[in-house]
Amino acid sequence: MREIRHITITDPHDCCGCTACASACPRGSISMKENSEGFLYPEVDESTCVECGLCVRVCPVISQFPARRPLEVYAVKHSDGAVRDGSASGGAFPLLASAVLAEGGKVFGSRFDSNMEAVHDSAGTSEEAAAFIGSKYLQSRMEDCYGRVRSALREGLPVLFTGTPCQVAGLNHFLLGCAGKVPLDRLITVDLICHGAPSPGVWRRYLAEEVSSLEAKGYSGVTVDEVRFRDKEEGRAGWKGYNFKIFFSAADSSGAPCRHVLSEKGKAGNLFIRGFLADLYSRPSCYRCPAREFRSGSDLTIGDFWGIGDLRPDFDDDRGVSAVLVNTGKGRGFFSRLHCDRLEMTYADVLRRNRCLETSVAETDRRSSFFASAESVHDTIRRLL
């Protein structure tokens, strides 16, 4: 029997949902479909597929880059305190983004759409890029971003692409597999220190239950306007607090719309974050992550510099400190030109509180119990935790 040369997913652990296969398909024969757990997987239209094998060649799970170690490691704080207060940690992303935007480039990152679901998009101004600031504990929909990165590079624009390690790996494989030369000298890829990618479908149900709960408390016409997974209490100290907030509009007693906020403090305060940190609904590939150990090919890696207060208490004011790991010579050249408060640290300093840089999270029996449950998301998380 002739071998079929296209992506075929038989084990959900073998697909990270990066969309490299769908983006690379020259016939548009691959679409991303949501499964029962709320994750996107490729589906091939065999009636139009010509079995060119490109989708297989660009898959970052099938063809993995080698493991690496960073060249340099820094603890970083944005020099503008207001920018840092609005960021999840030390303001590393706006620092990098502003440098590319100042050169007339494009920045790619994850934002919330009108339904408060995470989607990747591009920005050409600092106002647009502001939507990418802040943690979003969801797997974002990539849609056509890989193709848009390729187009921007072919136009000669500087590009900053930020995403999870598997998303960056997917982009790098996609660009290397593209027909026709794609200039990569103006591309800076940045991945995040990633614990795992929670299910967008679970989040959708969770948020719907939150809205129903608010309506049961007497609010009418509830519309969610904004979600913050990591809020710093409007500039007050609280970087390590995991303050979760939902800003919503609802009618008051006279029927006029008013803005309200639902606030839950600490890791234990919000059920969705608790379930995420307990690995109840991460994507199956996260338990066998193909991009750990810097296999994404990223130029830089950014995240929270957990434990900096123990190592350098003089540098930690509880307003946020980022870890910036420099992985390539191109990343070193780019980062060295930026103005910020920085301390050179060691890789071991970051790794001791960010083991997920090298080790995938463990898949527990509670995960299958979660998805088998007929209860609400809130009740299921409470029961399992």
Side-chain angles (χ1 to χ4, degrees):
M1 179 181 293
R2 182 166 57 90
E3 180 182 0
I4 298 176
R5 302 186 64 228
H6 62 61
I7 285 288
T8 304
I9 306 300
T10 57
D11 183 341
H13 295 82
D14 293 336
C15 174
C16 61
C18 71
T19 76
C21 58
S23 300
C25 179
R27 300 292 296 270
S29 300
I30 303 176
S31 55
M32 303 298 293
K33 302 294 186 182
E34 187 171 305
N35 72 352
S36 61
E37 292 186 348
F39 295 105
L40 296 177
Y41 285 86
E43 184 175 287
V44 179
D45 180 354
E46 297 190 14
S47 68
T48 60
C49 174
V50 294
E51 298 185 13
C52 66
L54 184 56
C55 58
V56 175
R57 293 197 298 274
V58 301
C59 175
V61 176
I62 296 173
S63 302
Q64 297 182 18
F65 292 129
R68 304 175 298 163
R69 290 294 180 272
L71 306 177
E72 299 169 357
V73 175
Y74 295 93
V76 170
K77 295 188 293 189
H78 199 289
S79 55
D80 186 329
V83 173
R84 189 155 61 105
D85 287 340
S87 302
S89 52
F93 168 75
L95 174 71
L96 305 176
S98 61
V100 171
L101 292 171
E103 297 179 7
K106 290 284 187 181
V107 172
F108 289 78
S110 176
R111 64 170 177 81
F112 284 113
D113 65 11
S114 59
N115 296 316
M116 294 299 117
E117 297 186 22
V119 59
H120 248 69
D121 202 354
S122 64
T125 67
S126 57
E127 291 76 18
E128 293 172 342
F132 305 152
I133 297 174
S135 297
K136 299 164 186 71
Y137 294 131
L138 300 167
Q139 182 167 40
S140 58
R141 301 192 311 275
M142 191 57 57
E143 299 186 334
D144 62 344
C145 275
Y146 286 175
R148 290 158 63 187
V149 169
R150 175 178 58 189
S151 297
L153 292 172
R154 285 177 171 169
E155 292 173 16
L157 297 176
V159 172
L160 178 78
F161 181 91
T162 59
T164 61
C166 61
Q167 289 172 334
V168 171
L171 173 66
N172 281 325
H173 281 281
F174 165 78
L175 293 173
L176 291 173
C178 284
K181 183 175 176 60
V182 180
L184 302 178
D185 57 303
R186 309 205 74 185
L187 172 66
I188 296 293
T189 54
V190 181
D191 59 4
L192 311 172
I193 299 176
C194 181
H195 179 90
S199 164
V202 171
W203 167 250
R204 190 181 307 127
R205 291 165 51 202
Y206 180 91
L207 195 59
E209 291 171 13
E210 288 284 301
V211 170
S212 295
S213 176
L214 290 169
E215 291 174 341
K217 293 176 182 177
Y219 294 101
S220 62
V222 174
T223 301
V224 178
D225 303 317
E226 184 183 358
V227 173
R228 298 180 193 171
F229 282 104
R230 299 267 302 279
D231 185 87
K232 290 181 182 175
E233 299 290 314
E234 288 72 51
R236 295 190 293 276
W239 164 44
K240 307 175 184 71
Y242 278 80
N243 298 313
F244 176 87
K245 290 185 178 181
I246 294 177
F247 296 84
F248 65 97
S249 297
D252 62 14
S253 57
S254 67
C258 293
R259 186 168 167 87
H260 306 267
V261 59
L262 171 66
S263 179
E264 296 170 320
K265 298 183 182 298
K267 294 180 182 180
N270 178 256
L271 282 174
F272 187 83
I273 291 177
R274 286 177 60 194
F276 159 57
L277 294 176
D279 308 308
L280 294 183
Y281 31 79
S282 291
R283 189 179 182 96
S285 61
C286 296
Y287 307 107
R288 305 177 191 173
C289 177
R292 299 281 181 210
E293 299 184 282
F294 305 91
R295 296 177 190 270
S296 69
S298 65
D299 297 301
L300 300 168
T301 298
I302 62 175
D304 294 280
F305 205 128
W306 298 125
I308 188 65
D310 298 328
L311 298 167
R312 289 296 301 267
D314 57 309
F315 201 69
D316 179 21
D317 56 5
D318 202 29
R319 292 173 66 183
V321 178
S322 294
V324 176
L325 298 90
V326 179
N327 305 324
T328 65
K330 183 167 59 171
R332 174 192 279 155
F334 174 75
F335 184 66
S336 67
R337 299 192 298 270
L338 307 184
H339 175 68
C340 61
D341 299 327
R342 70 181 79 187
L343 291 175
E344 187 162 8
M345 307 296 288
T346 70
Y347 177 51
D349 291 335
V350 176
L351 182 64
R352 71 190 190 103
R353 294 284 294 274
N354 284 289
R355 298 303 304 179
C356 55
L357 283 165
E358 296 189 358
T359 307
S360 297
V361 295
E363 186 170 7
T364 69
D365 292 339
R366 290 183 299 176
R367 185 185 188 281
S368 57
S369 297
F370 174 87
F371 283 105
S373 174
E375 300 172 291
S376 71
V377 171
H378 286 70
D379 289 343
T380 304
I381 296 173
R382 290 190 187 97
R383 175 171 57 81
L384 294 176
L385 298 184

